[in-house]
Structures are given as C-alpha cells and as structure tokens.
C-alpha cells in the first residue's frame, strides 16, 4: 500500500471553487504528489486527450470536481452547454480512469439532482422520485448520470467510485460574475459595487422567500477527503450499489432575503434591498439531510456569517471572475 507521499492524486478542476479547496485540504494533510492540469493543458471533453493523460500519469485516486456551473441565469441561457460539457467531462474521466486501472474516485454532484418539490430535509433516497427544477434540469440530469455511471462501473468492474452531493457552496475562489454565478458570490459582487458606487438600492431576482442551505467550501473539501479516505466497508454500511451517494450539508437553511441582509451587513452596504418578483425563484426550498455523514463522524465547522466574512475578504483581494469550474 502506498504511503501519503507516494500516492498520485489527480484533482480535476483544481482552479475552481471546490477543486481549489480540495487542493488546500489535501496539502494540509501532507499530500505532496498531487496532479493538476489547466483547461488549456487538458481538455476534459476530449476523450483522446483524457485517455493519453491517464495512460501517462499512472493516477491512484481522482477527485472529480471539474464541471460547468452557474446560477439560474446561466442555466437558463446555456442549457445545451450545461448538459453536454458536464456529461462529456464525467464520461471521459470516469471511463478513462477505469481503463487505466484507477480503483478509487470521488465524484462531486449537486443538491439540484433532487426533485423540485422534494420533502424536506432531502434524503439520499429521494433521488429520481419527482420532477426536477426546470431552470437547472440539464445540469441536474448530467449530475445524476455521473452518480449512476460511478455505480455502474462499481457493479460491473469492482471499482470504488464514490459520490458526494454538496448543498449550495460558497467561499474563496468563487465566480463573482454578477449574472452567471451562484447566489452568494453574485450578491457579494452586487452589494460591493453598490457600496463603491454609492447606489441607493439593490434589486434581487425573485421574491426573496425561497430557503437555501449554504456550506463553506473548505468544509466541503474536508468532507470530500473524509469520505474518500473512509475504508470501503464503512462506506458500504451507509450506501447500496444503486444508492451510493452521500449528502453534504450545513444542517440549516435561511431565506434568500436573510442571506442578502447578512451580506449587506458584512460589506457595510446601507441602501435599500428590493426584490423583482417577475424573475424566477427556482426551487422553493433545498435543505439536505446530512444525517448519514454525521453518523459517519463528520460535521461542518464554519458558520454562515463567518464564511461570508471570509469570502468577502477573498473577493476584495481577488481578480477571479470565472464562468467555469473546470480543469482550467
């Protein structure tokens, strides 16, 4: 068995929000043989490039955090890109990992895989029990396919490919685009700009009433490494061959209105907050049931307010404005 310095770990999407956090977590644990590639160095939608990469690099473990991601606006505007790019990346990495003999892989999904009107909190077994949220259905379908692909290779080839489903994530390295990003980074950008420009009001999409659960990304990375390093027998105690994913959440949720007020407070914006009810709200509520992971011994450490303050500090010192969370 290889020791921590010998193990060759590939982090796909190491410049994205989750991938960069996983890189930090692995480095903190003492891993030094971490393999990364930028988007220009390795195009994950290109099967030949992925095949050649795995043939030459002799990878032991993979964290598959590469994905095209975005908020409601991006999902509505680019549905074809969201389903094609994500499915191609997943198919290439998982299949070529198997071909090259990689036995262990962690696939990162999303809470949007669950039905739009799912019972709350959302348990893993609610997958595919109802209709998806229309605004992000293509992305959700791709992520469901990724879970089922991992399960299929486990069943047929005896691999140990695991999946974790994070709730809404935020933190350092996020995409702060005002329209194509997720809710927290988009609001940070908008409230910051409003403060700098002395704008008297900020208008937010939707009614402000939907409830969302938010998890600081370094907690997600910690959970990912925790699940990956878990002995296989322990992992199998809490999963089945056809229901193998594990939720990762914060354990509580807030309204969009409340999180907007928290962000305004952290930034020091004192103008008016308005809501444009002509815009879509998305899913009314998404609270993950994280009891499986809790029973397995992991709980989050960073509070929402603490995480928002850390994220705003990152925003003010960062020039990142990515639309992709990929291997770039």
């Amino acid at each position: 068995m290889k020791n921590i310095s010998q193990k060759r770990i590939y982090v796909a999407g190491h410049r994205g929000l989750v991938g960069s956090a996983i890189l930090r977590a692995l480095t903190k644990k003492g891993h030094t043989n971490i393999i990364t590639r930028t988007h220009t160095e390795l195009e994950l939608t290109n099967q030949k490039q992925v095949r050649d990469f795995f043939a030459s690099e002799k990878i032991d473990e993979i964290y598959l955090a590469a994905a095209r991601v975005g908020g409601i606006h991006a999902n509505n505007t680019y549905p074809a890109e969201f389903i094609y790019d994500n499915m191609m990346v997943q198919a290439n990495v998982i299949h070529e990992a198997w071909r090259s003999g990689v036995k262990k892989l962690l696939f990162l999904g999303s809470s949007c895989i669950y039905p739009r009107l799912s019972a709350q909190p959302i348990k893993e077994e609610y997958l595919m029990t109802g209709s998806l949220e229309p605004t992000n259905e293509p992305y959700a379908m791709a992520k469901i396919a990724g879970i089922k692909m991992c399960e299929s290779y486990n069943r047929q080839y005896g691999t140990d490919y695991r999946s974790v489903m994070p709730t809404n994530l935020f933190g350092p390295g996020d995409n702060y685009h005002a329209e194509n990003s997720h809710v927290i980074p988009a609001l940070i950008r908008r409230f910051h700009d409003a403060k700098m420009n002395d704008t008297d009001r900020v208008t937010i999409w939707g009614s402000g009433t939907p409830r969302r659960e938010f998890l600081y990304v370094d907690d997600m990375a910690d959970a990912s490494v925790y699940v990956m390093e878990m002995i296989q027998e322990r992992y199998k105690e809490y999963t089945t061959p056809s229901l193998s994913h594990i939720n990762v959440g914060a354990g509580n949720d807030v309204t969009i209105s409340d999180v907007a007020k928290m962000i305004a407070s952290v930034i020091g914006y004192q103008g008016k907050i308005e809501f444009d009810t002509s815009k879509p709200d998305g899913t009314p509520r998404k609270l993950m049931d994280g009891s499986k992971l809790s029973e397995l011994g992991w709980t989050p450490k960073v509070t929402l307010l603490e995480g928002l303050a850390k994220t705003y500090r990152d925003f003010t010192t960062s020039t990142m404005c990515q639309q992709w969370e990929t291997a770039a």
Side-chain angles (χ1 to χ4, degrees):
M1 187 173 182
K2 294 184 178 181
N3 62 38
I4 199 168
S5 62
Q6 293 175 317
K7 192 180 294 184
R8 291 175 63 78
I9 301 175
Y10 171 46
V11 179
H14 74 285
R15 286 187 176 178
L17 174 64
V18 183
S20 60
I22 289 174
L23 206 60
R24 291 193 294 271
L26 290 171
T27 302
K28 187 176 180 180
K29 289 183 72 69
H31 289 280
T32 57
N33 208 353
I34 303 172
I35 314 303
T36 61
R37 290 290 185 276
T38 64
H39 183 63
T40 54
E41 292 171 333
L42 176 60
E43 172 53 71
L44 293 179
T45 62
N46 184 303
Q47 186 181 42
K48 185 180 185 304
Q49 287 188 29
V50 177
R51 179 170 295 180
D52 292 344
F53 166 76
F54 280 112
S56 65
E57 291 299 329
K58 310 302 180 187
I59 302 298
D60 294 305
E61 296 181 1
I62 300 169
Y63 288 83
L64 181 42
R68 177 183 269 273
V69 299
I72 291 177
H73 175 79
N75 274 271
N76 268 334
T77 307
Y78 310 109
E81 283 91 339
F82 271 79
I83 194 165
Y84 175 84
D85 290 329
N86 284 302
M87 291 191 74
M88 290 300 292
V89 167
Q90 295 161 192
N92 288 338
V93 172
I94 294 169
H95 182 70
E96 297 306 329
W98 163 74
R99 285 188 80 257
S100 67
V102 178
K103 294 294 185 182
K104 204 164 187 181
L105 176 148
L106 187 73
F107 173 71
L108 284 90
S110 167
S111 60
C112 72
I113 64 169
Y114 294 111
R116 180 179 186 273
L117 299 178
S118 180
Q120 306 286 321
I122 305 171
K123 298 179 182 293
E124 286 87 350
E125 54 263 36
Y126 296 166
L127 180 65
M128 298 193 297
T129 59
S131 300
L132 298 167
E133 162 58 37
T135 56
N136 58 24
E137 183 183 68
Y139 177 73
M141 289 295 292
K143 288 298 181 181
I144 292 170
I147 299 169
K148 294 303 174 184
M149 192 169 182
C150 288
E151 291 175 352
S152 298
Y153 278 65
N154 290 342
R155 290 167 58 195
Q156 186 168 342
Y157 299 121
T159 51
D160 185 7
Y161 294 174
R162 307 177 184 185
S163 299
V164 286
M165 298 301 113
T167 189
N168 301 284
L169 302 174
F170 72 101
D174 214 334
N175 164 23
Y176 297 102
H177 192 282
E179 292 183 337
N180 290 341
S181 60
H182 287 118
V183 60
I184 284 182
L187 290 178
I188 285 175
R189 172 71 177 270
R190 295 179 71 185
F191 279 116
H192 174 82
D193 289 351
K195 180 184 178 183
M196 294 299 100
N197 297 323
D198 199 25
T199 305
D200 64 353
R201 67 192 62 212
V202 170
T203 302
I204 299 171
W205 271 33
S207 65
T209 59
R211 302 187 67 88
R212 292 290 183 270
E213 177 185 23
F214 297 102
L215 181 70
Y216 190 61
V217 72
D218 284 290
D219 274 341
M220 179 60 208
D222 184 64
S224 297
V225 175
Y226 188 88
V227 170
M228 182 70 126
E229 294 183 345
M230 193 181 302
I231 61 171
Q232 191 174 22
E233 291 74 17
R234 181 69 167 155
Y235 185 80
K236 286 183 175 181
E237 286 180 25
Y238 286 81
T239 61
T240 68
S242 59
L243 193 69
S244 66
H245 62 285
I246 294 179
N247 289 341
V248 185
N252 53 71
D253 59 0
V254 295
T255 66
I256 297 297
S257 176
D258 285 342
V259 78
K261 292 173 184 175
M262 292 174 73
I263 292 170
S265 175
V266 165
I267 292 174
Y269 176 73
Q270 298 181 337
K272 188 175 181 181
I273 301 174
E274 296 180 338
F275 294 90
D276 182 357
T277 56
S278 69
K279 302 296 186 181
D281 272 334
T283 304
R285 190 185 189 197
K286 282 199 299 185
L287 176 63
M288 304 281 269
D289 184 331
S291 58
K292 279 188 180 181
L293 193 52
S294 178
E295 290 172 18
L296 285 164
W298 184 88
T299 55
K301 301 176 181 65
V302 181
T303 66
L304 177 56
L305 189 59
E306 180 186 359
L308 290 174
K310 288 182 176 182
T311 305
Y312 184 56
R313 284 197 295 272
D314 170 70
F315 171 80
T316 58
T317 58
S318 173
T319 58
M320 294 179 70
C321 187
Q322 299 166 268
Q323 293 184 22
W324 282 75
E325 185 174 281
T326 66

